[in-house]
Amino acid sequence: MSDVNEAADVAEKMAPLVIRILAHLPTPWKGKRPQQPSDQQMPSTDVAAIKELQESGLQVAYYKGAAIEVEAFQQAQDKEANRLASNALNTASMIDPDLDWTKEDVDALDAEFLHRWALEASNVSDETLQMLWAKLLEGELNSPGSVSNDTMSIARDMNKARAEEFRLLCSAALYNWEGIPSIVIGLGNPGGNSLQPYGLSYNVLMKLAHHRLIVNDMSSYRTISGGSLGPIYPVKHQGMSYVLRASPQHDAASGLRISGILFTPAGEELARVVEHIPMPEYTQAMIEDLKKAGWDVLPVNDAS
């Protein structure tokens, strides 16, 4: 199938979703335009007002009648409606084209969620933010009820800079094997700018905390406990699967810590739909930091 035909096929399968999205957007008002009044038809109040202006020394060059007012209003309304629809549809078009639409029940989408999504996404023109809203819609399609109102509010308040910074943070995070973000290894003291070389300075982290995406404590940690084999923690990072296992020479009878930055519940929701970017320098530094903290970092195929 050619790229053109494939795109047309996806567009056809998305049609029910597009129809529902447009139904939640304001449509231009279509009213009967009143006939523009002639000089003889001018309301007496207008005539009196013009005479008063003329008597005060001001010259009235023209009379803007009701028909012109309606015309200007309708043109502005049409333009705004087109802007909202264009933004919403551009955002929806960023949904994964490989999504199996035969398994998606568009009619099952919660009406309140879709209404809010349409209103918020229709006012976003930046591609970075549109991608975020597209992933939120995709996440709700795949798992109805998974996107909370709190998460929608936080996404609404994000600008392009915050979205890009949050994308860096999510790309650096460790996730469990279900895709839930766990922690971003701090590589020392994030409050002392230990993550600055990777675009996550203390100032950036504070802004993310202000937007309620991460916990406002730069010295957070998770304690991993274990049984007879000691602490074992399966994680994913940058599309790779690992098992973190306490080094044999390390006394981890009471558990072993992983220090770093924790996500808020809303941050966890958003992180699950954010697309990651490669961060090889950070990944190498993270693995070295984990080893220093007493962890063996084992690619999943080599884990025993």
Side-chain angles (χ1 to χ4, degrees), residues 207-230:
K207 290 176 181 177
L208 295 177
H210 174 74
H211 280 79
R212 296 181 290 138
L213 294 164
I214 61 174
V215 176
N216 189 21
D217 182 357
M218 298 298 104
S219 57
S220 300
Y221 61 87
R222 292 192 182 280
T223 299
I224 310 301
S225 57
S228 58
L229 298 177

Side-chain angles (χ1 to χ4, degrees), residues 64 73 75 77 80 87 130 138 148 179 216 264 275:
K64 190 171 185 179
F73 175 75
Q75 287 178 355
Q77 198 174 41
E80 177 64 4
N87 285 341
Q130 285 181 339
E138 187 177 322
S148 68
N216 189 21
T264 63
E275 290 193 338

Side-chain angles (χ1 to χ4, degrees), residues 176-252:
N176 67 21
W177 283 7
E178 286 73 46
I180 300 174
S182 174
I183 193 168
V184 176
I185 306 300
L187 305 182
N189 179 16
N193 274 329
S194 60
L195 295 177
Q196 185 173 18
Y198 312 101
L200 296 169
S201 66
Y202 176 72
N203 183 50
V204 167
L205 295 174
M206 284 296 95
K207 290 176 181 177
L208 295 177
H210 174 74
H211 280 79
R212 296 181 290 138
L213 294 164
I214 61 174
V215 176
N216 189 21
D217 182 357
M218 298 298 104
S219 57
S220 300
Y221 61 87
R222 292 192 182 280
T223 299
I224 310 301
S225 57
S228 58
L229 298 177
I232 294 178
Y233 194 39
V235 296
K236 289 188 176 183
H237 172 76
Q238 288 279 314
M240 299 289 293
S241 297
Y242 300 90
V243 167
L244 306 184
R245 184 177 63 187
S247 301
Q249 67 271 22
H250 194 90
D251 182 11

Side-chain angles (χ1 to χ4, degrees), residues 33-37 64-72:
R33 301 178 185 179
Q35 181 180 1
Q36 183 175 0
K64 190 171 185 179
I68 298 177
E69 294 286 359
V70 171
E71 179 75 21

